[in-house]
Amino acid sequence: MTTLFVRHEVSDYATWRQVYDDFRSVQKANGVTAEAVYQAVDNPNDVTVTHEFATSEAAQAFGQLQELRAAMRAGGVLGAPTVWLTNKA
C-alpha cells in the first residue's frame, strides 16, 4: 500500500473542503482506497491530506491528473503543495 501525502495552504478552508468533497468520485475512479484530511492546530487553512492506493504507480498517476490540478485551483490552494509518497512498513 502506498500513501500520498499532500500539504498546502488554502485561502478558505470551507471553500476548499466543498471542492474536495465534490471530488470524491474522481478519487474513487482513480484508485483512492482511503483518504483523510487534517488541519494544523494553529492555522485551519494549513491542510494536509492523505490518499491511499494499492500501488505507487496508481498514486503517481493520480497526482498527475489534470482534473486534480483544476480542483486544487478551484479550491483556492495557495502556492505549490508539498507532496510525498510512502509505503507502509
Side-chain angles (χ1 to χ4, degrees), residues 1-79:
M1 175 182 65
T2 298
T3 302
L4 171 68
F5 288 81
V6 179
R7 181 178 181 194
H8 45 59
E9 189 165 353
V10 298
S11 57
D12 176 71
Y13 177 79
T15 300
W16 174 86
R17 186 62 192 236
Q18 184 62 54
V19 172
Y20 180 84
D21 289 345
D22 291 345
F23 200 67
R24 283 210 172 116
S25 62
V26 177
Q27 292 175 4
K28 292 284 184 192
N30 287 279
V32 175
T33 59
E35 54 81 28
V37 175
Y38 303 89
Q39 291 175 286
V41 171
D42 59 347
N43 179 1
N45 291 325
D46 181 351
V47 179
T48 299
V49 296
T50 63
H51 295 95
E52 294 182 9
F53 297 86
T55 66
S56 61
E57 293 81 11
Q60 291 170 347
F62 179 78
Q64 297 301 314
L65 290 175
Q66 290 301 321
E67 298 98 318
L68 177 60
R69 294 172 199 267
M72 290 175 74
R73 281 192 301 274
V77 171
L78 303 173

